[in-house]
Amino acid sequence: MIKYIEMDPINLIFNQSFSYPDCLEFEISGSKSISQRLLIINYLKKSSLEISNLSNSEDTVILLNALNSRERIINLKQSGTAMRFLITLFSHEKRNVILEGDASLLKRPISALIDALNLMGSNIIKNDHSILIKEADLIGGPLHLHKLNTSQFISSILLVAPYIKNGIHLMFDQNICSKPYIDMTTSIMELCGARLQINNNEIKVFPSDYTHAIEFVESDWTSASYLFLAFLFSSIKKMKINFLNQNSIQGDKVIRDFFCILGVVSEFDNEGLFLEKKEIYQKPKRIEWNFNDHPDLFPTILVSCFALGIELLANGVSKLIYKESNRILSMKNELLKFNGVLKIKNKDTVHLSSNNIKFNNEIISIDTHNDHRVALSLAPLSLLGFNLKIDNQNVINKSYPNFFNDLSKFGVLIK
């Protein structure tokens, strides 16, 4: 079992004498979302196949350890994906198991999934400190899921659906948040041999077995967004990220389009993606962006616009309050330390003014709010000359454990 060690806060400051190489090269581990889906599929098909480039994120390690555990009480720490995926899987298996985790984990949305599974015959009880799954018969059929706070409820049921008696006929809202993650789930399922019928917001999964395996996981586009950000803030002219897929099933590949607006152009070769900065480009004064399909990119895009003095109108952000932290308030509070003003216009829209950054020689303490994406998005600001102190540095293990090492390749001193 892999364990991550709690560590003290760290300081990040740019080394002014750093000598830039002609081109930096990076390798990011496999997509967290794809890895977790493949682990569930391999578990169901009882496959011992070793998956290459599996995500090294703590979330993936937690899920893998839980799948290999025969304990009655399983601690999922802060992994919302593991919690949601395992509830359906263990219900199908008629397991008597108790899922526990950090206090923040049990506050994240889960009730709609539990209610749906109980309607299908499960016996699941949630309290303030744990989720109790009791032995019961899970039976499929028509299932309506509406007003969901996360698409993971749907993916959780879909992944197990081929093994559920009678299969599943899922119906959900047309404008559901993070729809690309549902598309990712169905794509992987079909590649692995599941039989599906998809019609907009209706998905039928027929009883069958997974018959095929995916042996290699493409690298994680959301993690790559933080390297895009560091590249933007640095004086490096060229960079390469290996194992990113041009035809990726990850919705967050749109980060490439966003950075093109900021003068970062990119081209694929057989191994990955080359990034280069335009010598001449017109910086936009204002950007309007809808995050409904890719909410995890909000911190990256927000910090990019803030650092360049670009006004940002961000729509489709209502579900960000259900992340590891209330991610809107977390980013709002941290940007204030740099003189950034993020205003909440309504529950689904926030506005970033094009304020000037506050530069000084003082150490700026970053509260990560126990949220990996807060730490990952703000750390590259050290490349602009800020002396940052980041609390709870190990929070990045949740998705990108190697990030601070990768950031040091840009000339950031980590103490």
Side-chain angles (χ1 to χ4, degrees):
M1 180 179 292
I2 300 175
K3 294 183 179 180
Y4 290 97
I5 301 172
E6 297 288 332
M7 301 181 74
D8 294 330
I10 58 170
N11 284 86
L12 307 179
I13 187 168
F14 179 63
N15 179 7
Q16 299 292 340
S17 62
F18 179 72
S19 178
Y20 282 109
D22 292 334
C23 180
L24 281 178
E25 188 168 339
F26 297 91
E27 291 185 3
I28 300 174
S29 80
S31 160
K32 181 161 71 93
S33 298
I34 294 175
S35 296
Q36 290 167 321
R37 285 157 174 78
L38 290 180
L39 287 177
I40 297 295
I41 288 172
N42 278 10
Y43 180 88
L44 286 165
K45 69 192 294 288
K46 296 178 173 59
S47 171
S48 58
L49 176 73
E50 184 173 338
I51 303 170
S52 298
N53 202 37
L54 192 73
S55 170
N56 64 354
S57 67
E58 186 178 22
D59 272 2
T60 304
V61 172
I62 286 170
L63 177 59
L64 182 60
N65 288 340
L67 291 171
N68 291 329
S69 174
R70 298 281 68 138
E71 299 293 329
R72 185 162 186 266
I73 300 176
I74 299 176
N75 191 314
L76 303 177
K77 297 181 70 173
Q78 204 189 18
S79 181
T81 305
M83 174 178 66
R84 291 156 185 159
F85 284 7
L86 290 173
I87 284 176
T88 304
L89 179 66
F90 289 161
S91 294
H92 157 70
E93 285 195 311
K94 302 181 181 180
R95 288 271 293 271
N96 286 304
V97 64
I98 297 173
L99 302 181
E100 295 181 338
D102 294 354
S104 59
L105 176 67
L106 275 301
K107 294 178 182 178
R108 298 185 68 181
I110 196 64
S111 297
L113 176 60
I114 292 175
D115 292 344
L117 291 172
N118 283 341
L119 283 174
M120 295 165 60
S122 293
N123 187 356
I124 306 169
I125 301 170
K126 178 185 179 298
N127 56 44
D128 292 339
H129 307 290
S130 64
I131 297 171
L132 174 62
I133 303 172
K134 296 183 177 181
E135 181 177 346
D137 290 316
L138 192 62
I139 299 175
L143 183 62
H144 296 261
L145 291 174
H146 298 295
K147 297 182 179 180
L148 300 179
N149 292 319
T150 170
S151 64
Q152 286 184 354
F153 295 168
I154 291 174
S155 290
S156 173
I157 295 173
L158 285 175
L159 287 167
V160 183
Y163 292 79
I164 296 175
K165 184 178 180 180
N166 300 331
I168 291 290
H169 180 189
L170 269 179
M171 290 153 277
F172 51 89
D173 293 334
Q174 189 74 35
N175 60 342
I176 188 170
C177 176
S178 303
K179 176 65 160 52
Y181 286 93
I182 298 174
D183 297 337
M184 173 193 291
T185 301
T186 56
S187 295
I188 293 172
M189 290 174 65
E190 289 181 319
L191 286 171
C192 292
R195 296 189 297 117
L196 284 73
Q197 181 179 312
I198 303 171
N199 181 21
N200 295 323
N201 60 327
E202 292 189 31
I203 302 174
K204 289 184 179 179
V205 183
F206 301 96
S208 62
D209 290 335
Y210 289 118
T211 56
H212 304 298
I214 295 175
E215 299 183 20
F216 183 84
V217 182
E218 61 178 83
S219 288
D220 193 285
W221 273 99
T222 320
S223 294
S225 76
Y226 309 114
L227 292 181
F228 272 77
L229 191 59
F231 179 64
L232 177 70
F233 295 163
S234 75
S235 297
I236 295 174
K237 299 187 183 301
K238 294 182 180 180
M239 186 175 81
K240 183 181 180 184
I241 307 175
N242 293 320
F243 307 131
L244 287 175
N245 189 340
Q246 184 171 7
N247 301 311
S248 175
I249 58 176
Q250 299 175 65
D252 284 359
K253 65 184 178 182
V254 299
I255 197 62
R256 184 184 174 208
D257 300 327
F258 172 78
F259 275 93
C260 187
I261 299 173
L262 304 184
V264 177
V265 294
S266 52
E267 295 290 339
F268 283 94
D269 68 2
N270 292 331
E271 295 179 349
L273 184 68
F274 275 99
L275 281 69
E276 191 169 1
K277 294 172 184 171
K278 293 181 182 179
E279 291 186 7
I280 301 174
Y281 90 103
Q282 184 67 41
K283 184 181 76 173
K285 294 181 179 179
R286 184 178 188 271
I287 292 176
E288 184 171 345
W289 200 271
N290 192 305
F291 292 91
N292 190 64
D293 285 344
H294 37 264
D296 286 343
L297 294 181
F298 172 75
T300 303
I301 290 177
L302 179 67
V303 171
S304 300
C305 290
F306 166 68
L308 297 185
I310 298 172
E311 179 186 359
L312 174 66
L313 184 66
N315 299 309
V317 299
S318 61
K319 302 302 186 291
L320 289 172
I321 65 173
Y322 301 111
K323 297 295 183 177
E324 284 77 1
S325 69
N326 180 331
R327 202 165 280 165
I328 294 174
L329 287 181
S330 296
M331 294 302 296
K332 173 184 170 71
N333 292 336
E334 297 314 303
L335 284 183
L336 272 175
K337 299 172 182 177
F338 300 88
N339 204 34
V341 178
L342 183 65
K343 294 182 179 179
I344 301 172
K345 297 179 71 70
N346 55 57
K347 68 177 184 178
D348 206 40
T349 305
V350 297
H351 176 257
L352 174 71
S353 303
S354 55
N355 289 44
N356 294 322
I357 301 179
K358 179 178 69 175
F359 283 100
N360 57 47
N361 294 323
E362 298 176 0
I363 295 176
I364 298 179
S365 294
I366 301 297
D367 182 349
T368 65
H369 302 270
N370 207 26
D371 190 329
H372 56 131
R373 303 213 183 276
V374 173
L376 290 164
S377 62
L378 291 172
L381 287 172
S382 57
L383 286 161
L384 298 180
F386 290 107
N387 187 352
L388 305 183
K389 181 179 180 181
I390 298 183
D391 75 338
N392 191 16
Q393 63 164 297
N394 66 307
V395 73
I396 67 168
N397 291 337
K398 194 172 195 300
S399 60
Y400 192 169
N402 296 331
F403 178 67
F404 290 135
N405 289 333
D406 286 344
L407 189 61
S408 69
K409 296 177 183 179
F410 289 93
V412 175
L413 297 174
I414 301 172
K415 302 178 179 179

